[in-house]
């Protein structure tokens, strides 16, 4: 109906302009004015037609944006069951936290995605990888970590420098499982350092989140950074390519590296718990 009304309006404008031109030509015998009126009438009809089309397109776009922006609100308003509404609020809160990460420049990742991305970035690395990890004894048994570490080894073969700082409590340094992991990575060519958790900075924030409980991140060629969340939740970790955020991770790495110790042990032996690996500041 609206389209028909617009077409009729254009037709009426054309008839009015043409009729006025005919009146001036045949009744008033003023052909110049008739031609001028007819030409101006045609131009006005064309201008009003284009203006109506532009207004209609703008209106349709605004209505679509309005519906899209309020779709969630309309959906929430239609939920009447109290239990369903509580669940919807819980989902909405989780989604808002995810949007907050995306707005800051982070991409949240589940555990599988996290290690897949880490393996991919090790494959793309050409110069240096800096990593800070809590020392886990599952480096040689868990499938995701095994594939991740194999990517480490392939990067080392390409000439990539890997510096890994293991964060552990001081009393765990002498544990045989811990020393086995340290010596294995040192023999493979990783520049291994040890930082004692109690000696690390007590308050360091990246992207507005306290990281003192995590200390589990990696920086690849100073272009991309990945980090494991310190608290359990929907996502295992996150990644970012934002230059400012990557620079923040580099700064945190330098702080941790400054307080860490390098290994200086015989590479052919693994010391017993009573004789822990010698460290260099």
């Amino acid at each position: 109906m609206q389209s028909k009304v617009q077409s009729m309006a254009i037709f009426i404008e054309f008839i009015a302009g043409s009729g006025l031109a005919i009146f001036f030509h045949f009744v008033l015998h003023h052909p110049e004015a008739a031609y001028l009126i007819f030409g101006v009438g045609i131009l006005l009809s064309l201008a009003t037609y284009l203006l109506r089309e532009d207004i209609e397109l703008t209106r349709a776009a605004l209505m679509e944006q309005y519906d899209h922006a309020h779709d969630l609100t309309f959906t929430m308003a239609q939920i009447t069951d109290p239990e369903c509404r509580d669940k919807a609020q819980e989902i909405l809160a989780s989604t808002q936290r995810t949007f907050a990460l995306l707005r800051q420049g982070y991409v949240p990742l589940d555990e599988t995605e996290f290690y897949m991305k880490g393996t991919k970035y090790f494959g793309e690395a050409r110069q240096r990888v800096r990593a800070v990890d809590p020392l886990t004894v599952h480096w040689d048994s868990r499938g995701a970590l095994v594939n991740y570490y194999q990517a480490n080894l392939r990067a080392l073969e390409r000439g990539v420098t890997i510096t890994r700082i293991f964060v552990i409590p001081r009393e765990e340094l002498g544990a045989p499982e811990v020393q086995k992991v340290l010596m294995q990575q040192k023999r493979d060519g990783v520049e291994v350092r040890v930082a004692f958790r109690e000696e690390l900075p007590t308050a360091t924030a990246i992207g507005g989140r306290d990281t003192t409980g995590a200390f589990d991140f990696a920086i690849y060629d100073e272009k991309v950074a990945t980090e494991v969340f310190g608290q359990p939740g929907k996502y295992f970790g996150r990644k970012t390519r934002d230059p400012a955020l990557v620079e923040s991770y580099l700064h945190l790495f330098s702080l941790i590296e400054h307080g860490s110790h390098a290994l200086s042990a015989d590479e052919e032996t693994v010391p017993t718990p009573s004789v822990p690996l010698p460290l260099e500041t």
Side-chain angles (χ1 to χ4, degrees):
M1 181 62 68
Q2 186 175 6
S3 177
K4 290 181 179 180
V5 170
Q6 289 182 357
S7 300
M8 289 183 64
I10 297 169
F11 179 71
I12 292 171
E13 290 172 357
F14 176 75
I15 292 298
S18 300
L20 189 61
I22 291 172
F23 177 77
F24 268 81
H25 191 281
F26 291 103
V27 177
L28 299 180
H29 303 289
H30 204 310
E32 293 83 0
Y35 295 142
L36 180 62
I37 291 171
F38 182 75
V40 171
I42 291 294
L43 292 176
L44 287 175
S45 297
L46 179 61
T48 55
Y49 169 76
L50 294 176
L51 182 61
R52 289 192 190 97
E53 282 292 308
D54 187 57
I55 292 174
E56 182 60 28
L57 291 174
T58 303
R59 177 182 176 278
L62 289 175
M63 288 297 298
E64 182 179 358
Q65 292 180 10
Y66 178 85
D67 292 339
H68 180 71
H70 294 79
D71 183 59
L72 185 59
T73 304
F74 296 151
T75 303
M76 292 289 293
Q78 295 170 359
I79 301 175
T80 57
D81 183 82
E83 187 174 355
C84 294
R85 180 177 288 275
D86 291 341
K87 185 63 177 178
Q89 291 289 355
E90 179 183 339
I91 294 173
L92 181 60
S94 175
T95 303
Q96 288 176 337
R97 288 193 295 269
T98 302
F99 283 156
L101 283 172
L102 295 171
R103 186 170 60 250
Q104 294 170 12
Y106 293 103
V107 178
L109 305 167
D110 60 33
E111 186 172 5
T112 301
E113 291 175 328
F114 183 85
Y115 285 114
M116 285 180 61
K117 290 295 184 182
T119 301
K120 175 177 179 290
Y121 296 145
F122 262 111
E124 296 175 350
R126 292 294 178 268
Q127 296 178 352
R128 186 179 182 185
V129 177
R130 301 172 176 88
V132 176
D133 294 289
L135 200 152
T136 172
V137 297
H138 302 296
W139 280 85
D140 56 351
S141 59
R142 287 184 57 193
L145 279 172
V146 169
N147 294 333
Y148 177 76
Y149 191 62
Q150 289 298 318
N152 283 225
L153 299 179
R154 290 191 293 270
L156 289 168
E157 292 175 356
R158 296 196 308 272
V160 177
T161 301
I162 300 177
T163 302
R164 176 166 285 114
I165 303 175
F166 284 107
V167 178
I168 60 174
R170 182 181 293 272
E171 62 272 13
E172 293 183 5
L173 179 61
E177 297 86 358
V178 170
Q179 302 218 347
K180 178 182 177 182
V181 172
L182 295 175
M183 289 304 304
Q184 179 63 51
Q185 297 213 12
K186 183 175 176 61
R187 282 195 296 264
D188 289 336
V190 177
E191 181 185 336
V192 179
R193 301 183 68 88
V194 174
F196 299 118
R197 182 171 291 275
E198 54 270 22
E199 296 179 358
L200 294 178
T202 57
T204 304
I206 293 181
R209 187 175 67 85
D210 185 13
T211 60
T212 55
F215 290 119
D216 193 352
F217 62 92
I219 310 157
Y220 306 86
D221 281 345
E222 301 183 7
K223 296 178 180 179
V224 60
T226 59
E227 180 189 17
V228 175
F229 287 133
Q231 300 296 327
K234 180 179 179 180
Y235 294 106
F236 181 77
R238 61 186 181 179
K239 70 159 190 172
T240 182
R241 289 184 179 274
D242 185 276
L245 295 174
V246 173
E247 184 62 31
S248 297
Y249 282 105
L250 287 169
H251 178 65
L252 177 60
F253 182 89
S254 65
L255 291 177
I256 298 174
E257 186 179 30
H258 180 71
S260 65
H261 310 271
L263 298 186
S264 59
D266 182 0
E267 297 187 0
E268 300 301 324
T269 62
V270 179
T272 63
S274 60
V275 185
L277 291 168
L279 300 177
E280 293 179 349
T281 302

